[in-house]
Amino acid sequence: MSPRREGHTDVLGFEGLLAAKEIVVFCGSGGVGKTSCAAAAGAMAASQLGGKVLVLTVDPARRLATALGLEGIGNVEREVPPELFMEAGHEPRGRLYAAMLDTKRSWDELVHRHAPDEETAYKILENPLYHNITARFVNAHEYIAMERLYELHQTGQWDLIIVDTPPSRSAIDFLEAPTRMAEFFGGRFLKLITLPYRAGGRVGARVLDVAARPFYRLADRVLGSDFMQRLGEFFLYFQSMYDGFVERAEEVERLLHDRRTTFAVVTTPEAAPLREAEFFCEKLDEFGFDLGALVLNRVLPDYLRDPAGAEAAEVLRHPRALAEKLADEFPDLLTPDITESVLGTISDNFQNFSLVAMREAEEKRRLGTAVGAIVQIPHLDHDVADLDGLLEIGAAMFERGAGATTKGSAPLRP
Amino acid sequence: MNASPPFSPSDRASALLDRRLVFVTGKGGTGKSTVAAALGDLCASMGKRTLLVEVDARGNLTDFFEHARVGFAPEEIRPDLYCMTMNTEDSLEEYLTIFLKMGRVSRLSILSRVFDFIANAAPGVKEILTIGKIAYEATLMEGTAPKWDTIIVDAAPTGRIVGQLDAPAAINELFEVGMVREQTDWMREILADPLITALAIVATPEEMPVTESIELYEMTKRLDVRLQTVFVNRVLPELFTTGEEETFEHLREPAPSRYLEDEVKGSIEPVFEAARLAVRLRRSRVEHIRRLKASIPVPTLYIPYLFVRDHGQRSTHLVAEAIREEMGL
């Protein structure tokens, strides 16, 4: 369909990708349906490919949690009841689990693991700066997602882990998170801040280095010396975790580069998300990550670009004469005035949607030359409210045609 | 809608534009930046001297005007419309220069970098440098009149806006002394003045954007800044009136549709399907709009779905015109 990039996994399509990889990381800008796509891919993989599949999500729409048969998803993996698959007309080959990333808890666990002793761990966790720092410092949110993924993968109990990444300021934050986490702990700014509190190995003693003096004078004046002290102490404790942290960050980084790991970039065919997606694809390539698929979500149906439809819509732009003829022909059904207005409306409507569909097609064509595997998901006219809905998205991803796996909602194609 | 007498002037749809400082937030993908840009466009076209501030993103707000990127210093990108990109390092340096009377010593830039590092760690510091700069612009006078008639801020998304707006209050808890602490009172005064400052939320009629908007509205109750307006973006209009819908269904019956098919030369089926698609899309979204309106008691303005996918000045202007119409201006 689209030009394929040589040697890429997409020869097998998206289905093959899910069968071949152990980790698929879904990325994309906010509001493109990333969470639904990740969950749909997981549901489809569990249903069609078998094995133990885990969807690690960040902040699922409540509706999505309900769709997975889970009243709220916690940090601990929970199985999606197989009965739900049965109800949706599927006999699943494998098992589907879902877990939600609890950032705060995951960070706490990380501190407990890497702190040299319980007392240090306690001091870090109790520091008022701790929460703030883990909430956003050096891409803390992104880092912890990758860290949790690593941990889950290490357990060896999953055939496939699908990750729905948190919405980032920039999608690129993810890829850099492990590296930047390691850099941060070795950084010179951190040394400068903790310097005065290290003298004599005693926390709290502030002996000023000549070179650092102007900095502290200014810092005290602007931020207050109390604050500077708390900050220094905090980082000093934090640094005691340095070795463990850096080692771990490097392992996480290695896993993301592993050939068992791939990335799926999700976007809608709108200008802004598309630009973000293209940028992200370039970065994946630059950083040496595997771009498995580009998922194009909410694509308008093909019939909107049907030339025969366009011809009809053009004729209907001036519907008066036709409306009168129709009203003559079917007097018990139609009146000329309302018929005229309806024909005019549906003509306008077709031309409006057709225009957008054309632009989408053009964007797709452009993308086709840049990315190998493109997965298209039709613009659904309803919210994804249950597993059935997720499997409908999944079927589109597997190019199985909407009708093949769903029973409830009618396909959009005529 | 707002049944309770006495009539409050801030219930007017256009009240948002009476404020000097407007923060625009919204979930990612809802068109927050589009609406902020359109508000800037609208205010400037009304002859207001307008400053458009980009806070969060990658500095591409000027794309909405097909203009090259701008930096920290406000730049006039079209008559009466100035644009700037927030940068906390520059903000800190400006602050030190103004309040500490420090010259732009070269050493300062290294210090600012260190500060920027700290600002990342300390709760509220980065935010206070952002909010501080914006509030500072709102206090600037030229002669006896404020320098800016309107400042429109393309602010942080719903998930982070509270941290941003609440920074001056939060910082009091952490800093006992120091200049940062001393600065918070005047900022809070500006943010808390409902005649100066207002918040606007942008949502699309979908589950998550609406849910996040409602959650944010609940949180704003304890903030200094008051929620003034909700924009519902990309609203599909009702295609048919009730009578028309019946006629449409009749037209789709076998005999009339065969007749039509012969008359229009092409194929009528795609045109029917497109109409059904529009009706279904509209219906699936109506419930979300209803939920939004029922939960947030401030003026709700609708911006229609634009059948263009371009993000240039053309669509910015179309959105501005839609807002103008909704505000009854």
Side-chain angles (χ1 to χ4, degrees), chain A residues 62 132 136 222-223 226-227 276 325 341 349 355 360 381 383 412, chain B residues 58 121-122 127 175-176 179-180 215 244 263 274 280 288 307 309:
Chain A
R62 259 166 242 140
N132 181 67
R136 53 179 205 174
V222 177
L223 299 167
D226 288 3
F227 175 76
E276 185 79 2
K325 277 202 271 182
S341 140
N349 180 69
L355 177 80
E360 283 185 8
D381 53 6
D383 292 309
L412 292 176
Chain B
R58 285 128 287 200
E127 284 80 3
F175 294 86
E176 279 137 39
M179 293 196 69
V180 169
E215 283 168 3
E244 287 179 341
E263 289 286 325
R280 287 198 308 255
H288 297 304
F307 287 97
R309 280 276 161 108

PDB file of all heavy atoms in Angstrom, chain A residues 62 132 136 222-223 226-227 276 325 341 349 355 360 381 383 412, chain B residues 58 121-122 127 175-176 179-180 215 244 263 274 280 288 307 309:
ATOM      1  N   ARG A  62     -11.862   6.842  32.523  1.00  0.00           N
ATOM      2  CA  ARG A  62     -12.619   5.915  33.362  1.00  0.00           C
ATOM      3  C   ARG A  62     -13.358   4.905  32.506  1.00  0.00           C
ATOM      4  O   ARG A  62     -13.459   3.736  32.820  1.00  0.00           O
ATOM      5  CB  ARG A  62     -13.610   6.705  34.217  1.00  0.00           C
ATOM      6  CG  ARG A  62     -13.082   6.881  35.618  1.00  0.00           C
ATOM      7  CD  ARG A  62     -13.872   7.926  36.348  1.00  0.00           C
ATOM      8  NE  ARG A  62     -13.022   9.032  36.715  1.00  0.00           N
ATOM      9  CZ  ARG A  62     -13.351  10.297  36.659  1.00  0.00           C
ATOM     10  NH1 ARG A  62     -14.544  10.641  36.207  1.00  0.00           N
ATOM     11  NH2 ARG A  62     -12.534  11.234  37.031  1.00  0.00           N
ATOM     12  N   ASN A 132       7.979  17.221  44.900  1.00  0.00           N
ATOM     13  CA  ASN A 132       8.083  18.096  43.743  1.00  0.00           C
ATOM     14  C   ASN A 132       9.105  17.588  42.736  1.00  0.00           C
ATOM     15  O   ASN A 132       8.887  17.608  41.530  1.00  0.00           O
ATOM     16  CB  ASN A 132       8.472  19.480  44.225  1.00  0.00           C
ATOM     17  CG  ASN A 132       8.573  20.442  43.077  1.00  0.00           C
ATOM     18  OD1 ASN A 132       7.570  20.757  42.458  1.00  0.00           O
ATOM     19  ND2 ASN A 132       9.762  20.848  42.750  1.00  0.00           N
ATOM     20  N   ARG A 136       8.482  16.033  38.715  1.00  0.00           N
ATOM     21  CA  ARG A 136       8.811  16.614  37.407  1.00  0.00           C
ATOM     22  C   ARG A 136      10.285  16.824  37.112  1.00  0.00           C
ATOM     23  O   ARG A 136      10.627  17.260  36.030  1.00  0.00           O
ATOM     24  CB  ARG A 136       8.111  17.947  37.269  1.00  0.00           C
ATOM     25  CG  ARG A 136       8.438  18.818  38.438  1.00  0.00           C
ATOM     26  CD  ARG A 136       7.796  20.135  38.323  1.00  0.00           C
ATOM     27  NE  ARG A 136       8.606  21.035  39.117  1.00  0.00           N
ATOM     28  CZ  ARG A 136       8.422  22.306  39.181  1.00  0.00           C
ATOM     29  NH1 ARG A 136       7.463  22.841  38.483  1.00  0.00           N
ATOM     30  NH2 ARG A 136       9.182  23.046  39.927  1.00  0.00           N
ATOM     31  N   VAL A 222      18.046  35.782  47.301  1.00  0.00           N
ATOM     32  CA  VAL A 222      16.837  35.608  46.499  1.00  0.00           C
ATOM     33  C   VAL A 222      15.938  34.512  47.071  1.00  0.00           C
ATOM     34  O   VAL A 222      14.723  34.682  47.187  1.00  0.00           O
ATOM     35  CB  VAL A 222      17.187  35.295  45.028  1.00  0.00           C
ATOM     36  CG1 VAL A 222      15.928  35.036  44.224  1.00  0.00           C
ATOM     37  CG2 VAL A 222      17.974  36.442  44.429  1.00  0.00           C
ATOM     38  N   LEU A 223      16.543  33.404  47.410  1.00  0.00           N
ATOM     39  CA  LEU A 223      15.727  32.254  47.812  1.00  0.00           C
ATOM     40  C   LEU A 223      15.626  32.084  49.329  1.00  0.00           C
ATOM     41  O   LEU A 223      14.751  31.370  49.808  1.00  0.00           O
ATOM     42  CB  LEU A 223      16.303  30.965  47.206  1.00  0.00           C
ATOM     43  CG  LEU A 223      16.348  30.915  45.679  1.00  0.00           C
ATOM     44  CD1 LEU A 223      17.210  29.765  45.221  1.00  0.00           C
ATOM     45  CD2 LEU A 223      14.954  30.792  45.095  1.00  0.00           C
ATOM     46  N   ASP A 226      17.507  29.404  54.475  1.00  0.00           N
ATOM     47  CA  ASP A 226      16.845  28.176  54.932  1.00  0.00           C
ATOM     48  C   ASP A 226      16.571  27.248  53.772  1.00  0.00           C
ATOM     49  O   ASP A 226      16.808  26.054  53.822  1.00  0.00           O
ATOM     50  CB  ASP A 226      15.460  28.487  55.530  1.00  0.00           C
ATOM     51  CG  ASP A 226      15.584  29.158  56.856  1.00  0.00           C
ATOM     52  OD1 ASP A 226      16.729  29.422  57.264  1.00  0.00           O
ATOM     53  OD2 ASP A 226      14.540  29.416  57.467  1.00  0.00           O
ATOM     54  N   PHE A 227      16.047  27.870  52.763  1.00  0.00           N
ATOM     55  CA  PHE A 227      15.678  27.075  51.603  1.00  0.00           C
ATOM     56  C   PHE A 227      16.903  26.436  50.971  1.00  0.00           C
ATOM     57  O   PHE A 227      16.900  25.260  50.626  1.00  0.00           O
ATOM     58  CB  PHE A 227      14.945  27.931  50.578  1.00  0.00           C
ATOM     59  CG  PHE A 227      14.646  27.196  49.325  1.00  0.00           C
ATOM     60  CD1 PHE A 227      13.609  26.267  49.305  1.00  0.00           C
ATOM     61  CD2 PHE A 227      15.412  27.358  48.184  1.00  0.00           C
ATOM     62  CE1 PHE A 227      13.349  25.552  48.163  1.00  0.00           C
ATOM     63  CE2 PHE A 227      15.156  26.642  47.047  1.00  0.00           C
ATOM     64  CZ  PHE A 227      14.120  25.740  47.030  1.00  0.00           C
ATOM     65  N   GLU A 276       4.068  16.847  15.108  1.00  0.00           N
ATOM     66  CA  GLU A 276       4.704  16.283  16.292  1.00  0.00           C
ATOM     67  C   GLU A 276       5.143  14.842  16.024  1.00  0.00           C
ATOM     68  O   GLU A 276       6.235  14.424  16.395  1.00  0.00           O
ATOM     69  CB  GLU A 276       3.704  16.347  17.456  1.00  0.00           C
ATOM     70  CG  GLU A 276       4.252  15.902  18.773  1.00  0.00           C
ATOM     71  CD  GLU A 276       5.112  16.964  19.450  1.00  0.00           C
ATOM     72  OE1 GLU A 276       5.250  18.074  18.887  1.00  0.00           O
ATOM     73  OE2 GLU A 276       5.647  16.679  20.503  1.00  0.00           O
ATOM     74  N   LYS A 325     -39.318  17.934  -8.555  1.00  0.00           N
ATOM     75  CA  LYS A 325     -39.594  16.687  -9.271  1.00  0.00           C
ATOM     76  C   LYS A 325     -39.818  15.527  -8.286  1.00  0.00           C
ATOM     77  O   LYS A 325     -40.733  14.736  -8.437  1.00  0.00           O
ATOM     78  CB  LYS A 325     -38.425  16.347 -10.217  1.00  0.00           C
ATOM     79  CG  LYS A 325     -38.503  17.076 -11.561  1.00  0.00           C
ATOM     80  CD  LYS A 325     -37.706  16.364 -12.626  1.00  0.00           C
ATOM     81  CE  LYS A 325     -36.264  16.874 -12.628  1.00  0.00           C
ATOM     82  NZ  LYS A 325     -35.452  16.238 -13.685  1.00  0.00           N
ATOM     83  N   SER A 341     -34.165  21.894   0.987  1.00  0.00           N
ATOM     84  CA  SER A 341     -33.229  22.238   2.057  1.00  0.00           C
ATOM     85  C   SER A 341     -32.367  21.037   2.468  1.00  0.00           C
ATOM     86  O   SER A 341     -31.162  21.172   2.687  1.00  0.00           O
ATOM     87  CB  SER A 341     -34.040  22.835   3.211  1.00  0.00           C
ATOM     88  OG  SER A 341     -33.554  22.395   4.432  1.00  0.00           O
ATOM     89  N   ASN A 349     -22.607  19.224   3.217  1.00  0.00           N
ATOM     90  CA  ASN A 349     -21.974  18.359   4.199  1.00  0.00           C
ATOM     91  C   ASN A 349     -20.961  17.429   3.539  1.00  0.00           C
ATOM     92  O   ASN A 349     -19.845  17.265   4.016  1.00  0.00           O
ATOM     93  CB  ASN A 349     -23.058  17.556   4.918  1.00  0.00           C
ATOM     94  CG  ASN A 349     -22.470  16.623   5.959  1.00  0.00           C
ATOM     95  OD1 ASN A 349     -21.952  17.075   6.971  1.00  0.00           O
ATOM     96  ND2 ASN A 349     -22.524  15.331   5.697  1.00  0.00           N
ATOM     97  N   LEU A 355     -13.520  17.588   1.702  1.00  0.00           N
ATOM     98  CA  LEU A 355     -12.337  18.447   1.723  1.00  0.00           C
ATOM     99  C   LEU A 355     -11.340  17.978   2.782  1.00  0.00           C
ATOM    100  O   LEU A 355     -10.146  17.850   2.529  1.00  0.00           O
ATOM    101  CB  LEU A 355     -12.769  19.895   2.012  1.00  0.00           C
ATOM    102  CG  LEU A 355     -11.641  20.915   2.149  1.00  0.00           C
ATOM    103  CD1 LEU A 355     -11.150  21.327   0.775  1.00  0.00           C
ATOM    104  CD2 LEU A 355     -12.098  22.126   2.930  1.00  0.00           C
ATOM    105  N   GLU A 360      -6.465  14.835   4.434  1.00  0.00           N
ATOM    106  CA  GLU A 360      -5.923  13.691   5.173  1.00  0.00           C
ATOM    107  C   GLU A 360      -5.171  12.748   4.249  1.00  0.00           C
ATOM    108  O   GLU A 360      -4.084  12.281   4.569  1.00  0.00           O
ATOM    109  CB  GLU A 360      -7.061  12.916   5.843  1.00  0.00           C
ATOM    110  CG  GLU A 360      -7.589  13.574   7.077  1.00  0.00           C
ATOM    111  CD  GLU A 360      -8.633  12.687   7.754  1.00  0.00           C
ATOM    112  OE1 GLU A 360      -8.809  11.526   7.329  1.00  0.00           O
ATOM    113  OE2 GLU A 360      -9.261  13.178   8.682  1.00  0.00           O
ATOM    114  N   ASP A 381     -17.617   6.873  15.321  1.00  0.00           N
ATOM    115  CA  ASP A 381     -18.618   7.883  15.656  1.00  0.00           C
ATOM    116  C   ASP A 381     -19.190   7.638  17.040  1.00  0.00           C
ATOM    117  O   ASP A 381     -20.263   8.076  17.380  1.00  0.00           O
ATOM    118  CB  ASP A 381     -19.733   7.908  14.597  1.00  0.00           C
ATOM    119  CG  ASP A 381     -20.324   6.538  14.375  1.00  0.00           C
ATOM    120  OD1 ASP A 381     -19.957   5.613  15.122  1.00  0.00           O
ATOM    121  OD2 ASP A 381     -21.145   6.385  13.460  1.00  0.00           O
ATOM    122  N   ASP A 383     -17.905   6.710  21.426  1.00  0.00           N
ATOM    123  CA  ASP A 383     -16.810   6.534  22.358  1.00  0.00           C
ATOM    124  C   ASP A 383     -16.539   5.055  22.537  1.00  0.00           C
ATOM    125  O   ASP A 383     -17.440   4.232  22.428  1.00  0.00           O
ATOM    126  CB  ASP A 383     -17.175   7.128  23.724  1.00  0.00           C
ATOM    127  CG  ASP A 383     -17.279   8.636  23.655  1.00  0.00           C
ATOM    128  OD1 ASP A 383     -16.338   9.260  23.141  1.00  0.00           O
ATOM    129  OD2 ASP A 383     -18.307   9.168  24.098  1.00  0.00           O
ATOM    130  N   LEU A 412     -18.564   1.942   8.927  1.00  0.00           N
ATOM    131  CA  LEU A 412     -18.872   3.229   8.333  1.00  0.00           C
ATOM    132  C   LEU A 412     -18.965   3.160   6.818  1.00  0.00           C
ATOM    133  O   LEU A 412     -19.602   3.976   6.196  1.00  0.00           O
ATOM    134  CB  LEU A 412     -17.810   4.250   8.735  1.00  0.00           C
ATOM    135  CG  LEU A 412     -17.807   4.630  10.213  1.00  0.00           C
ATOM    136  CD1 LEU A 412     -16.664   5.569  10.508  1.00  0.00           C
ATOM    137  CD2 LEU A 412     -19.131   5.258  10.600  1.00  0.00           C
TER     138      LEU A 412
ATOM    139  N   ARG B  58       6.726  24.749  22.403  1.00  0.00           N
ATOM    140  CA  ARG B  58       8.037  24.824  21.784  1.00  0.00           C
ATOM    141  C   ARG B  58       8.288  26.126  21.040  1.00  0.00           C
ATOM    142  O   ARG B  58       9.108  26.193  20.171  1.00  0.00           O
ATOM    143  CB  ARG B  58       8.203  23.652  20.820  1.00  0.00           C
ATOM    144  CG  ARG B  58       8.445  22.366  21.528  1.00  0.00           C
ATOM    145  CD  ARG B  58       7.491  21.304  21.064  1.00  0.00           C
ATOM    146  NE  ARG B  58       6.147  21.545  21.566  1.00  0.00           N
ATOM    147  CZ  ARG B  58       5.229  20.625  21.636  1.00  0.00           C
ATOM    148  NH1 ARG B  58       5.471  19.435  21.232  1.00  0.00           N
ATOM    149  NH2 ARG B  58       4.029  20.904  22.114  1.00  0.00           N
ATOM    150  N   ALA B 121      13.993  22.237  40.599  1.00  0.00           N
ATOM    151  CA  ALA B 121      13.842  21.385  41.768  1.00  0.00           C
ATOM    152  C   ALA B 121      12.870  21.961  42.781  1.00  0.00           C
ATOM    153  O   ALA B 121      12.095  21.239  43.389  1.00  0.00           O
ATOM    154  CB  ALA B 121      15.203  21.171  42.420  1.00  0.00           C
ATOM    155  N   ALA B 122      12.933  23.261  42.976  1.00  0.00           N
ATOM    156  CA  ALA B 122      12.134  23.859  44.038  1.00  0.00           C
ATOM    157  C   ALA B 122      10.722  24.098  43.553  1.00  0.00           C
ATOM    158  O   ALA B 122      10.513  24.697  42.516  1.00  0.00           O
ATOM    159  CB  ALA B 122      12.770  25.167  44.469  1.00  0.00           C
ATOM    160  N   GLU B 127       7.519  28.288  38.158  1.00  0.00           N
ATOM    161  CA  GLU B 127       6.200  28.865  37.929  1.00  0.00           C
ATOM    162  C   GLU B 127       6.165  30.335  38.318  1.00  0.00           C
ATOM    163  O   GLU B 127       5.550  31.153  37.657  1.00  0.00           O
ATOM    164  CB  GLU B 127       5.138  28.105  38.726  1.00  0.00           C
ATOM    165  CG  GLU B 127       4.757  26.760  38.137  1.00  0.00           C
ATOM    166  CD  GLU B 127       5.753  25.673  38.457  1.00  0.00           C
ATOM    167  OE1 GLU B 127       6.728  25.954  39.192  1.00  0.00           O
ATOM    168  OE2 GLU B 127       5.588  24.542  37.969  1.00  0.00           O
ATOM    169  N   PHE B 175       9.175  29.033  51.290  1.00  0.00           N
ATOM    170  CA  PHE B 175      10.200  30.042  51.530  1.00  0.00           C
ATOM    171  C   PHE B 175       9.794  30.904  52.706  1.00  0.00           C
ATOM    172  O   PHE B 175       8.751  31.546  52.671  1.00  0.00           O
ATOM    173  CB  PHE B 175      10.382  30.910  50.291  1.00  0.00           C
ATOM    174  CG  PHE B 175      10.927  30.166  49.120  1.00  0.00           C
ATOM    175  CD1 PHE B 175      10.068  29.476  48.265  1.00  0.00           C
ATOM    176  CD2 PHE B 175      12.285  30.122  48.880  1.00  0.00           C
ATOM    177  CE1 PHE B 175      10.563  28.778  47.185  1.00  0.00           C
ATOM    178  CE2 PHE B 175      12.793  29.421  47.799  1.00  0.00           C
ATOM    179  CZ  PHE B 175      11.932  28.745  46.942  1.00  0.00           C
ATOM    180  N   GLU B 176      10.640  30.876  53.741  1.00  0.00           N
ATOM    181  CA  GLU B 176      10.285  31.697  54.890  1.00  0.00           C
ATOM    182  C   GLU B 176      10.779  33.120  54.719  1.00  0.00           C
ATOM    183  O   GLU B 176      10.150  34.062  55.171  1.00  0.00           O
ATOM    184  CB  GLU B 176      10.833  31.061  56.168  1.00  0.00           C
ATOM    185  CG  GLU B 176       9.930  29.931  56.653  1.00  0.00           C
ATOM    186  CD  GLU B 176      10.696  28.709  57.109  1.00  0.00           C
ATOM    187  OE1 GLU B 176      11.761  28.881  57.741  1.00  0.00           O
ATOM    188  OE2 GLU B 176      10.237  27.591  56.822  1.00  0.00           O
ATOM    189  N   MET B 179      13.925  37.086  48.693  1.00  0.00           N
ATOM    190  CA  MET B 179      13.227  37.994  47.792  1.00  0.00           C
ATOM    191  C   MET B 179      12.104  37.316  47.035  1.00  0.00           C
ATOM    192  O   MET B 179      11.116  37.952  46.704  1.00  0.00           O
ATOM    193  CB  MET B 179      14.218  38.589  46.809  1.00  0.00           C
ATOM    194  CG  MET B 179      15.206  39.493  47.502  1.00  0.00           C
ATOM    195  SD  MET B 179      16.059  40.544  46.349  1.00  0.00           S
ATOM    196  CE  MET B 179      14.753  41.628  45.825  1.00  0.00           C
ATOM    197  N   VAL B 180      12.268  36.025  46.777  1.00  0.00           N
ATOM    198  CA  VAL B 180      11.200  35.317  46.070  1.00  0.00           C
ATOM    199  C   VAL B 180       9.920  35.422  46.888  1.00  0.00           C
ATOM    200  O   VAL B 180       8.851  35.743  46.389  1.00  0.00           O
ATOM    201  CB  VAL B 180      11.579  33.841  45.835  1.00  0.00           C
ATOM    202  CG1 VAL B 180      10.384  33.052  45.355  1.00  0.00           C
ATOM    203  CG2 VAL B 180      12.712  33.746  44.826  1.00  0.00           C
ATOM    204  N   GLU B 215     -12.919  18.660  36.372  1.00  0.00           N
ATOM    205  CA  GLU B 215     -12.004  18.510  37.511  1.00  0.00           C
ATOM    206  C   GLU B 215     -11.251  19.809  37.767  1.00  0.00           C
ATOM    207  O   GLU B 215     -11.077  20.226  38.913  1.00  0.00           O
ATOM    208  CB  GLU B 215     -11.002  17.373  37.239  1.00  0.00           C
ATOM    209  CG  GLU B 215     -11.609  15.993  37.414  1.00  0.00           C
ATOM    210  CD  GLU B 215     -10.729  14.873  36.886  1.00  0.00           C
ATOM    211  OE1 GLU B 215      -9.600  15.158  36.423  1.00  0.00           O
ATOM    212  OE2 GLU B 215     -11.186  13.711  36.915  1.00  0.00           O
ATOM    213  N   GLU B 244     -36.605  17.963   8.828  1.00  0.00           N
ATOM    214  CA  GLU B 244     -35.659  17.628   7.765  1.00  0.00           C
ATOM    215  C   GLU B 244     -35.143  16.207   7.904  1.00  0.00           C
ATOM    216  O   GLU B 244     -34.922  15.513   6.916  1.00  0.00           O
ATOM    217  CB  GLU B 244     -34.478  18.610   7.789  1.00  0.00           C
ATOM    218  CG  GLU B 244     -34.845  19.978   7.275  1.00  0.00           C
ATOM    219  CD  GLU B 244     -33.666  20.939   7.338  1.00  0.00           C
ATOM    220  OE1 GLU B 244     -32.708  20.667   8.079  1.00  0.00           O
ATOM    221  OE2 GLU B 244     -33.715  21.956   6.635  1.00  0.00           O
ATOM    222  N   GLU B 263     -30.968  10.862 -11.331  1.00  0.00           N
ATOM    223  CA  GLU B 263     -30.957  12.303 -11.599  1.00  0.00           C
ATOM    224  C   GLU B 263     -29.579  12.940 -11.424  1.00  0.00           C
ATOM    225  O   GLU B 263     -29.222  13.874 -12.129  1.00  0.00           O
ATOM    226  CB  GLU B 263     -31.950  13.021 -10.675  1.00  0.00           C
ATOM    227  CG  GLU B 263     -33.410  12.765 -11.005  1.00  0.00           C
ATOM    228  CD  GLU B 263     -33.848  13.509 -12.268  1.00  0.00           C
ATOM    229  OE1 GLU B 263     -33.358  14.635 -12.490  1.00  0.00           O
ATOM    230  OE2 GLU B 263     -34.677  12.955 -13.028  1.00  0.00           O
ATOM    231  N   ALA B 274     -22.213  10.341   4.165  1.00  0.00           N
ATOM    232  CA  ALA B 274     -21.546  11.484   4.790  1.00  0.00           C
ATOM    233  C   ALA B 274     -22.503  12.204   5.729  1.00  0.00           C
ATOM    234  O   ALA B 274     -22.123  12.647   6.821  1.00  0.00           O
ATOM    235  CB  ALA B 274     -21.016  12.440   3.724  1.00  0.00           C
ATOM    236  N   ARG B 280     -24.287  11.192  13.255  1.00  0.00           N
ATOM    237  CA  ARG B 280     -23.814  10.323  14.335  1.00  0.00           C
ATOM    238  C   ARG B 280     -22.689  10.965  15.135  1.00  0.00           C
ATOM    239  O   ARG B 280     -22.644  10.869  16.351  1.00  0.00           O
ATOM    240  CB  ARG B 280     -23.339   8.982  13.763  1.00  0.00           C
ATOM    241  CG  ARG B 280     -24.477   8.079  13.309  1.00  0.00           C
ATOM    242  CD  ARG B 280     -23.989   6.638  13.176  1.00  0.00           C
ATOM    243  NE  ARG B 280     -22.801   6.576  12.347  1.00  0.00           N
ATOM    244  CZ  ARG B 280     -22.789   6.141  11.086  1.00  0.00           C
ATOM    245  NH1 ARG B 280     -23.902   5.743  10.516  1.00  0.00           N
ATOM    246  NH2 ARG B 280     -21.674   6.096  10.399  1.00  0.00           N
ATOM    247  N   HIS B 288     -21.570  14.911  25.930  1.00  0.00           N
ATOM    248  CA  HIS B 288     -20.412  15.499  26.610  1.00  0.00           C
ATOM    249  C   HIS B 288     -20.610  16.993  26.828  1.00  0.00           C
ATOM    250  O   HIS B 288     -20.238  17.541  27.859  1.00  0.00           O
ATOM    251  CB  HIS B 288     -19.137  15.237  25.806  1.00  0.00           C
ATOM    252  CG  HIS B 288     -18.810  13.779  25.669  1.00  0.00           C
ATOM    253  ND1 HIS B 288     -18.654  12.966  26.763  1.00  0.00           N
ATOM    254  CD2 HIS B 288     -18.646  13.001  24.584  1.00  0.00           C
ATOM    255  CE1 HIS B 288     -18.394  11.735  26.342  1.00  0.00           C
ATOM    256  NE2 HIS B 288     -18.393  11.733  25.030  1.00  0.00           N
ATOM    257  N   PHE B 307     -13.958  23.106   8.670  1.00  0.00           N
ATOM    258  CA  PHE B 307     -13.633  22.107   7.654  1.00  0.00           C
ATOM    259  C   PHE B 307     -12.373  22.508   6.905  1.00  0.00           C
ATOM    260  O   PHE B 307     -12.326  22.564   5.690  1.00  0.00           O
ATOM    261  CB  PHE B 307     -14.828  21.879   6.729  1.00  0.00           C
ATOM    262  CG  PHE B 307     -15.911  21.104   7.417  1.00  0.00           C
ATOM    263  CD1 PHE B 307     -16.977  21.754   8.003  1.00  0.00           C
ATOM    264  CD2 PHE B 307     -15.825  19.728   7.508  1.00  0.00           C
ATOM    265  CE1 PHE B 307     -17.952  21.039   8.662  1.00  0.00           C
ATOM    266  CE2 PHE B 307     -16.804  19.004   8.164  1.00  0.00           C
ATOM    267  CZ  PHE B 307     -17.876  19.665   8.749  1.00  0.00           C
ATOM    268  N   ARG B 309      -8.015  21.887   7.632  1.00  0.00           N
ATOM    269  CA  ARG B 309      -7.120  21.203   8.556  1.00  0.00           C
ATOM    270  C   ARG B 309      -5.824  21.973   8.710  1.00  0.00           C
ATOM    271  O   ARG B 309      -4.850  21.498   9.205  1.00  0.00           O
ATOM    272  CB  ARG B 309      -6.830  19.784   8.057  1.00  0.00           C
ATOM    273  CG  ARG B 309      -7.939  18.826   8.370  1.00  0.00           C
ATOM    274  CD  ARG B 309      -7.824  18.276   9.793  1.00  0.00           C
ATOM    275  NE  ARG B 309      -9.087  17.738  10.234  1.00  0.00           N
ATOM    276  CZ  ARG B 309      -9.347  16.456  10.383  1.00  0.00           C
ATOM    277  NH1 ARG B 309      -8.443  15.575  10.116  1.00  0.00           N
ATOM    278  NH2 ARG B 309     -10.511  16.065  10.814  1.00  0.00           N
TER     279      ARG B 309
END
